[in-house]
Amino acid sequence: MVSTPALRARHLDSQYALQQAIVEALGKDATDPDAAFRAQAATSACLAAMHTALTRWVEDHGRTRLPDLLARALTASFGDDAVATHRKD
């Protein structure tokens, strides 16, 4: 997907549509442009982190666990407190 321009363009279209659907599902008030902007920015950042993790996962042939890559990407985007860790004791 990354190396094929048509697939990459389709992926970007899908990402945009997904971003819009998430923002609408969050119910952000469309009359408050600042709230809508924050929701769009946060959603876009999360989707970009997901894309980055998936790309790395494919590049390393699935050797790294995808949830670990997602956590690393979200932490890189939002800081150390972005991902709650759950330990199984």
Side-chain angles (χ1 to χ4, degrees), residues 14-77:
S14 295
Q15 288 283 90
Y16 180 76
L18 181 57
Q19 176 190 4
Q20 295 306 107
I22 292 169
V23 170
E24 287 177 21
L26 290 173
K28 292 300 176 186
D29 187 1
T31 61
D32 182 356
D34 195 47
F37 178 79
R38 287 192 310 273
Q40 289 170 330
T43 301
S44 182
C46 287
L47 291 172
M50 182 179 68
H51 174 79
T52 301
L54 285 169
T55 300
R56 176 63 63 90
W57 183 70
V58 169
E59 289 170 350
D60 80 357
H61 305 284
R63 286 188 293 268
T64 306
R65 288 177 15 111
L66 186 55
D68 294 339
L69 290 171
L70 287 167
R72 287 176 52 198
L74 288 168
T75 298
S77 298

